[in-house]
Amino acid sequence: MNKKSILVLSLALAFVLAGCTKQQTQSSKQVLKLSAQAPLDTIDISKATGYGQTGNVYESFYRLGKKGKPVAGLAKSGTVSKDGLTWTFKLRNAKWSNGDQITAQDFVYSWKRTINPKTKSPYANLFSSIKNADAIMAGKKKADTLGIKATDKNTVVVTLDKPIVYFKVLMAYPLFAPQNQKVVEKYGKKYATKSKYMVYSGPFKISGWTGTNDKWSFVKNKQYWDQKKVKLQKITYKVVENTNTGYQLYSQKKLDMTPLSNQQVKNLKHSSEFKEYPYSYVAYLAYNFNDANDINKKAFNNRNIRLAFSLALDRKVLTKKVFGDGSQVPSGFVATGLAANPKTGVDFAKEQAVKGTVEYNEKKAQAYWKKGLAQIGAKNLTINILASNENSNNTPLTQYLQSQYTKVLPGTKVNVEAIPGNSALTKARNGDFDIYVSGWGGDFNDPITFLQIPLQNTSYNYGNYYNPTYDALIKKAENEDANDVDKRWSDLVAAAKIFNQDQGVTPIYQQTTAYMQSSKVHGIIHNTAGTQWNYKYAYIK
């Protein structure tokens, strides 16, 4: 080889090495450093109670894009019959993280595993309206009778008992993602107990999760069908329970995002890196309509007393001065920004509003209070407020409730029982409370995600509220009017107005979480319902 050739080869090699170095540097920078408030409790989609993070490792027919709209997922197409009862999905050429082909049978297996009462899925109720789902959940039919079948390797046919107008959005929820039967059976009891005992269908796969540890990572899934659009190589998670610690780590550039406390919001809200992310979570007071205390039972079943409890609260002071974190005053039970009138575009939250139910008015509160006490034959009330001590807002909230009720409503004594979240939830489920500080975050962008809660005998109706007119309207919306978008909307608005006028629960605030977010982080999609965080298009600039 002559000297000229060697020189040319050396220069070419230098360019190649320089290119590799540049690519490696860029790749190493594509790491998003996040915190989590608590360890992952499970990565089994059949048993999870939320998919805020894990929507990035599990994908269904669709995934949520901007403004809660369903965008391309594992289905390359989805069609529905004229009567709205049959959906047909054609799968794209997609693989599991271990290289196995994702097939229609993976969806069939996953759904039947989740709906099986033996699995004890806490979100199995979302399958309601899929053929035979309600009967299966009630133990009257076998899981094999669920309305889903694979007509060939790439075709899934879903049959409904009644049309579901929000079905396409629902199909973006990771609960409805496929599961690999071969992997479930291979690992047996070990399945989903550690990240290595699982396979993934989404843009990322989990690494380093042992089931109990406080650090784990999401690593880019090289088998993902759309992996070319995924820029992040890794997302690291570290459990940080204290917002002060989180901010310190953020200041040291060990975190790219960190949630802020109320006081931190007040100090940092003018920073260029301050960000607010609203969520369709409404905190409310649930009344125990079957309270063991006879006087309190009469009180909570008295609408005048419930209205007094609501009108005694100045929600503007609570959200702006007590919290100061950007949280909003709700107009009723259904969150603002969740869904809009299909004809007019008006927010459901605006249409549900009933004047004189959530506005602060001491005089009216006292008048309702006096009238209500006379009706139940009482001169005073002693109430216990049950709350989780793991929610950072609950301490200032219960202090405010205690102060306000004692001041505005004569003869009221308020005790607060603040205990760990799971213990509080257990007591609530058992009906062991007077008033429970509860809340609900929308699972999908439709009012029914909230309005199904107060129906008689639903699992989240902890206080056992019941109004036959309300139930009838919801039943009408979900059955005879299910295929008529406008009539269904009117039914839901009418039902919401009844519930808000009744003060079946008393809405307190709608959550907004404030963050510090590095200016280098771009492309995060945040949704107000369902899978809250979508990192598929995120990148570090």
Side-chain angles (χ1 to χ4, degrees), residues 459-498:
S459 58
Y460 295 100
N461 185 0
Y462 303 129
N464 289 302
Y465 170 84
Y466 174 58
N467 183 313
T469 307
Y470 177 89
D471 281 19
L473 281 165
I474 298 298
K475 186 177 180 180
K476 187 181 178 187
E478 296 300 276
N479 289 276
E480 63 187 89
D481 291 344
N483 236 0
D484 188 316
V485 174
D486 294 332
K487 284 185 179 179
R488 177 180 180 273
W489 185 268
S490 296
D491 294 338
L492 295 180
V493 170
K497 284 187 172 182
I498 287 173

Side-chain angles (χ1 to χ4, degrees), residues 339-352 485-487 489-490 493:
N341 187 311
K343 185 179 286 185
T344 66
V346 175
D347 195 316
F348 186 91
K350 188 174 183 179
E351 294 193 17
Q352 73 170 344
V485 174
D486 294 332
K487 284 185 179 179
W489 185 268
S490 296
V493 170

Side-chain angles (χ1 to χ4, degrees), residues 507-525:
I508 304 296
Y509 67 91
Q510 181 171 339
Q511 180 178 309
T512 294
T513 304
Y515 286 80
M516 290 300 285
Q517 178 176 317
S518 170
S519 57
K520 295 180 180 179
V521 177
H522 299 269
I524 291 175
I525 295 175

Side-chain angles (χ1 to χ4, degrees), residues 277-291:
Y277 288 106
Y279 188 49
S280 65
Y281 178 90
V282 173
Y284 58 85
L285 302 181
Y287 302 106
N288 191 346
F289 292 88
N290 288 332
D291 200 295

Side-chain angles (χ1 to χ4, degrees), residues 414-429:
V414 180
N415 300 314
V416 174
E417 184 181 9
I419 57 178
N422 286 336
S423 299
L425 185 58
T426 298
K427 293 193 77 166
R429 285 174 173 164

